[in-house]
Amino acid sequence: MSDVKKAVLAYSGGLDTSIILKWLQDTYDCEVITFTADLGQGDEVEDARAKAVAGGVSSIYIEDIREEFVRDYVFPMFRANAIYEGEYLLGTSIARPLIAKRMIEIAEAEGADAVSHGATGKGNDQVRFELGFYALKPDVKVIAPWREWNLVSRNDMLNFAEQHGIPVERKREGSKSPYSMDANLLHISYEGYDLEDPWCEPSESMWRWSVSPEAAPDEAEYIELSYQRGDIVAINGETMTPAAVLTELNRLGGKHGIGRIDIVENRFVGMKSRGCYETPGGTIMLKAHRAIESITLDREAAHLKDELMPRYAKIIYNGYWFAPERVMLQQAIDASQVCVNGDVRLKLYKGNVEVVGRRSDDSMFDERLCTFEDDEGAYDQKDASGFIKLNALRLRMNKLINK
């Protein structure tokens, strides 16, 4: 007899989690509570309710957490200009802590003694989910079916489904993507199939959110983003909620072929993985945020942020959102954003995001100091002589000693 009486399962309603639902019921002889998060992935999340009911689930949670996702996770991450290994905007990584948090909250509300997820034993998501679980509820039991069961292939999964009467959607040939995909309001990712060969160019039909740059409009589009304390609050003068901001930027970016990348990344578990990502709104946000910071942040504060950013990005990528070091860094980053207010004007054209204007009441840009014309005494160029000599002192001494 299992000591697990009740478990909360991260449930999408797809084949894998439907199989996990039945496997948990049979293997652990426990009640299963399902949690389906609407993070803006675009799927019909309500379909998960009918499938959960058919699977014998009595407690079903389906929640729209898009606003919380963007406000409390995506926006704080973009205040840091976070990017992993120079290219990845952390779209999957940043969603896992929120899912883990809600699962633990549901487990406590329902008196559940275990949580379960469908992440495989090869990827980063198992780590991200479980670090979140343990950070929030240290004594929770975690069930990771992919590390326990003997289903090792897609055929094994289909056979299990057939044996247990789990419906398998068989779509017509060519209508279903062969890739492993993950989507939320920030991005959509593609892995597997022909992408497992890093020399193979992805087919145009793979991409879901954006047109190719070649097929994007021949006329550029200008947009204006307004910032308060480092966060976008309006697009073209229209005030929007965080989720609405990202939704609109995704539409604009996708229209102009912005945000596609094809990378090989280093997973936390040790292997290299090839993935393709569409992050149209996030690509625009990163470019614009750096632009507004360029006129509102002190030089050394900006440079320190840039030095801390790779560590911050790695923390999120590896699943340490709730760790004290991330919280500490976040406090420093947020403190830097007090004066990051103003507007950025962008030009979107065939896969490119070009900054064409920036302004702020908190701007540190002073035209009098940098003008090529008469600055009317704002800056005495003679002062540079002493500055240069002091900074050259160690270089001169080095040459004198090491002749």
Side-chain angles (χ1 to χ4, degrees):
M1 175 70 77
S2 166
D3 58 353
V4 176
K5 305 302 180 187
K6 193 181 293 187
V8 179
L9 170 64
Y11 184 71
S12 69
L15 177 62
D16 287 13
T17 53
S18 294
I19 289 173
I20 290 172
L21 169 58
K22 178 61 176 173
W23 181 87
L24 285 171
Q25 293 166 334
D26 289 353
T27 304
Y28 284 88
D29 191 25
C30 66
E31 177 186 349
V32 179
I33 301 159
T34 59
F35 171 59
T36 305
D38 180 0
L39 291 164
Q41 60 266 42
D43 295 334
E44 294 296 328
V45 293
E46 278 298 324
D47 289 350
R49 186 184 304 278
K51 293 178 179 179
V53 170
V57 179
S58 56
S59 293
I60 300 168
Y61 288 78
I62 297 177
E63 298 178 357
D64 183 346
I65 52 177
R66 289 174 292 177
E67 288 295 347
E68 183 180 2
F69 174 53
V70 182
R71 181 190 66 236
D72 296 343
Y73 294 81
V74 175
F75 273 11
M77 182 176 72
F78 272 80
R79 290 175 210 144
N81 300 320
I83 187 165
Y84 180 71
E85 295 187 340
E87 295 191 88
Y88 177 41
L89 289 172
L90 299 162
T92 296
S93 316
I94 194 60
R96 298 323 187 207
L98 176 53
I99 295 172
K101 171 177 156 298
R102 282 300 297 133
M103 288 179 68
I104 292 300
E105 290 170 349
I106 292 168
E108 292 181 336
E110 291 279 352
D113 41 28
V115 290
S116 182
H117 61 79
T120 75
K122 285 187 175 183
N124 293 311
D125 280 344
Q126 59 178 334
V127 182
R128 295 164 181 157
F129 279 128
E130 295 179 37
L131 289 179
F133 295 151
Y134 291 129
L136 299 172
K137 189 173 176 62
D139 60 345
V140 70
K141 179 175 178 58
V142 177
I143 303 173
W146 280 97
R147 303 201 303 260
E148 295 186 27
W149 64 22
N150 58 359
L151 305 177
V152 297
S153 70
R154 180 57 58 181
N155 281 338
D156 288 346
M157 301 281 283
L158 292 173
N159 290 336
F160 183 97
E162 184 177 354
Q163 292 167 10
H164 294 86
I166 298 170
V168 177
E169 295 181 8
R170 299 188 183 276
K171 299 186 179 181
R172 66 183 182 275
E173 189 69 23
S175 67
K176 187 175 182 181
S177 172
Y179 301 99
S180 173
M181 299 188 299
D182 175 75
N184 56 53
L185 260 185
L186 181 55
H187 88 158
I188 182 169
S189 66
Y190 309 88
E191 292 180 314
Y193 192 51
D194 56 1
L195 298 181
E196 293 182 354
D197 176 2
W199 186 252
C200 179
E201 180 181 1
S203 66
E204 182 58 33
S205 62
M206 180 191 74
W207 306 100
R208 297 294 185 91
W209 285 8
S210 62
V211 301
S212 68
E214 295 91 338
D218 292 330
E219 184 177 345
E221 183 170 359
Y222 290 81
I223 63 171
E224 188 175 296
L225 307 183
S226 299
Y227 280 87
Q228 288 181 8
R229 299 177 71 93
D231 295 341
I232 300 170
V233 295
I235 300 177
N236 294 330
E238 180 183 350
T239 301
M240 296 182 176
T241 67
V245 163
L246 189 48
T247 299
E248 176 62 5
L249 291 180
N250 281 333
R251 184 190 71 80
L252 291 165
K255 172 184 174 182
H256 291 279
I258 292 164
R260 293 182 178 185
I261 62 169
D262 176 350
I263 62 174
V264 173
E265 67 199 66
N266 289 293
R267 286 182 178 174
F268 190 23
V269 293
M271 66 188 72
K272 290 184 181 291
S273 171
R274 195 266 188 99
C276 294
Y277 301 92
E278 286 178 280
T279 319
T283 302
I284 294 171
M285 287 170 58
L286 180 63
K287 190 81 169 183
H289 188 258
R290 293 197 68 96
I292 193 64
E293 282 191 329
S294 72
I295 60 171
T296 56
L297 277 192
D298 168 76
R299 181 191 68 186
E300 293 306 313
H303 290 181
L304 179 59
K305 276 190 79 234
D306 282 346
E307 291 169 13
L308 294 173
M309 184 279 289
R311 179 64 188 275
Y312 178 94
K314 183 178 179 181
I315 286 169
I316 294 176
Y317 183 85
N318 290 346
Y320 288 94
W321 177 263
F322 297 109
E325 65 268 28
R326 201 282 308 177
V327 175
M328 180 184 71
L329 284 175
Q330 193 70 58
Q331 291 172 342
I333 290 162
D334 291 350
S336 76
Q337 301 295 290
V338 173
C339 293
V340 182
N341 310 304
D343 305 305
V344 176
R345 191 167 69 250
L346 303 165
K347 178 181 178 181
L348 312 180
Y349 183 66
K350 290 191 177 295
N352 295 304
V353 183
E354 183 179 346
V355 178
V356 295
R358 67 290 273 165
R359 64 186 178 189
S360 174
D361 290 340
D362 297 299
S363 176
M364 300 182 73
F365 183 90
D366 190 334
E367 187 177 341
R368 297 175 306 152
L369 295 177
C370 61
T371 181
F372 285 97
E373 306 302 328
D374 183 0
D375 63 17
E376 299 178 343
Y379 178 78
D380 187 345
Q381 297 191 33
K382 296 185 181 67
D383 291 343
S385 296
F387 174 81
I388 294 168
K389 286 183 178 179
L390 282 173
N391 279 281
L393 180 58
R394 66 183 182 88
L395 304 178
R396 296 167 73 184
M397 292 301 298
N398 183 66
K399 182 61 176 177
L400 291 170
I401 294 170
N402 299 289
K403 288 183 179 179

